[in-house]
Amino acid sequence: MVLCPVIGKLQHKHVVLASASPRRQEILSNAGLRFEVVPSRFKEKLRKASFATPYAYAMETAKQKALEKDLRAPDVVIGADTIVVVGAVILEKPVDKQDAYRMLSRLNGKEHSVFTGVAIVHCCSKDGRLDTEVSEFYEETTVKFSELSEELLWEYINSGEPMDKAGGYGIQAQGGMLVEYVHGDFLNVVGFPLNHFCKELARLYYPPRPEDLHRVRHASIPAVDTFENLSDMEAGGSDPGQSAEGGRGGQQADGDRSQAPGAPDAALNGADGRPPLPAGLLELMDGFKASKVLFTACKLKLFDMLKDQGPLKAVDIARKLNACAGGTEWLLDVCVALGLLEKTHRGYSNTEVATLHLASDGEHSLQGLAEYNDAHVWGVFTRLGPAVQEGADQTRGALGVMEEEGHLSQSREMTLQFMRAMHSLSKLTAHHVATAFDLSRFTSACDLGGCTGILARELAQEYPRLQVTVFDLPEVTELSGGFQRGGRQTERIRFVPGDFFKDNLPEADLYVLSRILQDWPDDKLHKLLSRISSSCKPGGGLLVAEAAAEEKERASRRPRLRALSAGQPRSPDEHRWLLQRHGFQDVRVARAGDLLHVVLGTRAVP
Ligand SMILES: C[S@@+](CC[C@H](N)C(=O)[O-])C[C@H]1O[C@@H](n2cnc3c(N)ncnc32)[C@H](O)[C@@H]1O
């Protein structure tokens, strides 16, 4: 049987399925997999808002479930998490009948996506230590519900079926009657994407042979992607633990698919030999349009209006914006398609993600970042062609943000826009940075380039003894007042204007550099670190926070794109080496949430 080799690779391993779902168990045992069921105790309580995409949330939950096991060292643990996403809202299992009703009403008559995140954890014991390697992926299926009456919805809810199912329905049972069509893997909606799982096993256990590698280079399609064609003999199968390349980790940490857009489809050519629609590629070509729609809606303060006054009809929105009714409706409908707005018979309203992140006054608002991307980063990227040809430094060349040391060659309005963008980003990361290490031994800290003081605030809140100085260029500290919210810890925060390349640094026993080093070339970076090292007393500390840039992340989509305008990120090891070179010892590295890594060193006696 041609399908056997992939599943057969797990035949002699102790496999644990970290899931109580009878549907997942049935799918896997029907496929011939032998496994032990050890349901995970991991509570599904990750903060959804902290994930850039719903599938990133599902993959992280799957991973946490698989890693949570009290590992009496099985060889492999499989974790999975299925979520239903409508608009930008994630639906999990309903807690009661009313909740089930809310979910099913949201799905009624509409298309939604079902995502399953899957984590395959390989475990091995070395010197009494348990090492784990995680491979993760997700699958998306589109499902459309028919228009259903209230009566039918309640009849279904009263059947009891919705209660333990993501989105409040089970497609394999009575819930199947609600569904008009399904695009994609049906089993994914049931709870486990078996086809993708087998492909992942094939990728893990059958790394490409050297003679196949030219195919990888030319077509960006892994040589072994159609697991159906495998046999142990011809594929020269190996254990993923033994493969140097092509083994685990092809799925990148932030959920980017490892193949080129359209590649998985291209591998599954139609019977007539013509390539299928390269949907991923077309989406990529349209990516800039989607960004511009988002930026335009933010600029028009659409999300603010709908947060306060929604739902509103298109004509009323157009009137309030003093804009053309037809053009406004066009923009609104695109926002609905992008999951930023919802449309009902009462009009348009924000989705949860829009209210949380795109209205300007929210604690978690990213409006400043959208505004900055629109006003500046967009322009940088329109000059990408010449920059590639001439090797120009994108940010400096195109924007002239920092012409000389310590001078922002930009208008007050541009400085404010830049500060709003930093403020938005910092709100996402400051808590993770402040708590990545225990900093309670320090009584004074100086945040160099601390901008609007978000990190200073978080540090003061977390460590009640700490006095914090925010040190930044005069044109920045002058405007920082507009970003302060008040509160008791602000008494322990002060803003000092200055240039960290020229002026004396304020005294402190902890110096902080958050997202500073990546902006500077090596000569400037050494100058700054050497100045900090001279100011820091023995026993004092230096905390550096920078964009997460472990090797596999450096190759993934988001950091790669960012590097085009913000410079190549340095890895944790490079930062460790830099601190050691400048007289800091006991250098430790930690992860600070999804976006940053943090490095802490202690000033040695010179
Ligand atoms: C990328 S932002 C990082 C802001 C903040 N630390 C954060 O993590 O969000 C860089 C900051 O460094 C400041 N900066 C740039 N050059 C500086 C200099 N020579 N002296 C002091 N601050 C400087 C900028 O004004 C800006 O606030």
Side-chain angles (χ1 to χ4, degrees), residues 402 405-406 408 418 422-423 425-426 429 447-452 455 471-473 476 498-501 513-516 518-520:
M402 210 75 71
E405 282 181 9
L408 292 173
F418 170 74
M422 293 306 108
H423 195 75
L425 263 179
S426 229
T429 55
D447 186 7
L448 297 162
C451 206
T452 64
L455 178 56
F471 187 79
D472 210 305
L473 296 169
V476 171
D499 178 339
F500 49 49
F501 288 117
L513 290 170
S514 167
R515 294 189 294 123
I516 301 293
Q518 67 186 20
D519 286 343
W520 299 103

Side-chain angles (χ1 to χ4, degrees), residues 354-563:
T355 293
L356 193 62
H357 295 300
L358 297 176
S360 56
D361 58 351
E363 170 66 11
H364 304 285
S365 173
L366 291 175
Q367 231 213 28
L369 192 59
E371 192 186 340
Y372 184 74
N373 273 322
D374 190 22
H376 304 293
V377 183
W378 182 269
V380 171
F381 274 77
T382 59
R383 295 172 185 79
L384 186 58
V388 168
Q389 279 180 314
E390 294 154 25
D393 177 325
Q394 281 288 291
T395 310
R396 275 161 251 277
L399 281 176
V401 168
M402 210 75 71
E403 259 177 3
E404 285 175 45
E405 282 181 9
H407 292 286
L408 292 173
S409 65
Q410 55 190 28
S411 65
R412 186 186 159 91
E413 182 46 33
M414 263 172 93
T415 305
L416 259 176
Q417 263 177 355
F418 170 74
M419 290 174 75
R420 283 197 285 266
M422 293 306 108
H423 195 75
S424 294
L425 263 179
S426 229
K427 278 190 294 188
L428 292 181
T429 55
H431 179 72
H432 297 296
V433 173
T435 54
F437 296 107
D438 178 7
L439 304 173
S440 53
R441 70 188 162 101
F442 301 108
T443 54
S444 59
C446 175
D447 186 7
L448 297 162
C451 206
T452 64
I454 282 282
L455 178 56
R457 188 184 178 87
E458 200 67 42
L459 285 165
Q461 200 157 307
E462 203 59 41
Y463 305 100
R465 291 189 318 142
L466 197 65
Q467 304 281 340
V468 192
T469 305
V470 178
F471 187 79
D472 210 305
L473 296 169
E475 49 271 51
V476 171
T477 50
E478 186 199 332
L479 297 172
S480 63
F483 293 85
Q484 305 317 309
R485 270 198 298 128
R488 272 203 300 147
Q489 66 275 26
T490 38
E491 290 159 19
R492 286 182 285 117
I493 301 173
R494 65 178 183 137
F495 285 78
V496 173
D499 178 339
F500 49 49
F501 288 117
K502 293 184 184 148
D503 298 318
N504 287 337
L505 304 183
E507 274 191 21
D509 35 73
L510 174 69
Y511 287 95
V512 179
L513 290 170
S514 167
R515 294 189 294 123
I516 301 293
L517 296 182
Q518 67 186 20
D519 286 343
W520 299 103
D522 284 353
D523 56 333
K524 291 279 168 50
L525 173 138
H526 286 300
K527 181 173 177 182
L528 178 57
L529 290 177
S530 127
R531 300 194 87 227
I532 296 171
S533 180
S534 310
S535 301
C536 192
K537 297 191 188 80
L542 172 57
L543 183 76
V544 171
E546 287 292 332
E550 277 100 17
E551 277 310 320
K552 64 178 180 181
E553 281 154 347
R554 286 213 246 188
S556 77
R557 186 184 303 196
R558 212 179 317 125
R560 276 258 171 253
L561 285 172
R562 246 194 102 260

Side-chain angles (χ1 to χ4, degrees), residues 93-97 100 157 160-165 168:
K93 293 172 190 149
V95 289
D96 55 27
K97 285 187 174 182
I157 292 164
E161 193 178 280
M163 295 320 293
D164 63 337
K165 304 194 174 58

Side-chain angles (χ1 to χ4, degrees), residues 163-216:
M163 295 320 293
D164 63 337
K165 304 194 174 58
Y169 74 97
I171 196 166
Q172 69 289 347
Q174 291 186 54
M177 291 187 272
L178 317 180
V179 171
E180 201 167 295
Y181 60 73
V182 175
H183 288 155
D185 182 353
F186 178 82
L187 288 183
N188 184 44
V189 188
V190 180
F192 196 81
L194 183 63
N195 181 277
H196 199 154
F197 176 69
C198 291
K199 282 185 184 143
E200 189 64 11
L201 289 185
R203 197 182 63 74
L204 292 173
Y205 285 94
Y206 297 93
R209 295 169 300 182
E211 59 270 34
D212 289 332
L213 284 176
H214 69 278
R215 277 180 56 196
V216 176

Side-chain angles (χ1 to χ4, degrees), residues 219-221 257 259-269 275-284 557:
S220 300
I221 301 168
R257 288 188 184 263
Q259 288 110 329
D265 296 346
L268 300 170
N269 269 349
L277 189 75
L281 196 58
L282 292 176
E283 199 169 310
L284 207 54
R557 186 184 303 196

Side-chain angles (χ1 to χ4, degrees), residues 50-112:
S50 63
F51 292 88
T53 55
Y55 59 77
Y57 167 78
M59 287 204 297
E60 185 60 27
T61 306
K63 186 165 84 184
Q64 296 300 335
K65 283 180 182 175
L67 289 173
E68 180 269 350
K69 300 270 96 311
D70 173 15
L71 294 169
R72 279 167 293 101
D75 302 310
V76 178
V77 186
I78 302 166
D81 185 54
T82 301
I83 53 171
V84 167
V85 179
V86 56
V89 180
I90 298 179
L91 308 178
E92 288 176 298
K93 293 172 190 149
V95 289
D96 55 27
K97 285 187 174 182
Q98 277 305 330
D99 200 22
Y101 174 73
R102 268 192 297 276
M103 289 186 182
L104 292 167
S105 308
R106 269 185 193 273
L107 302 178
N108 199 357
K110 283 196 243 154
E111 267 191 2
H112 62 269

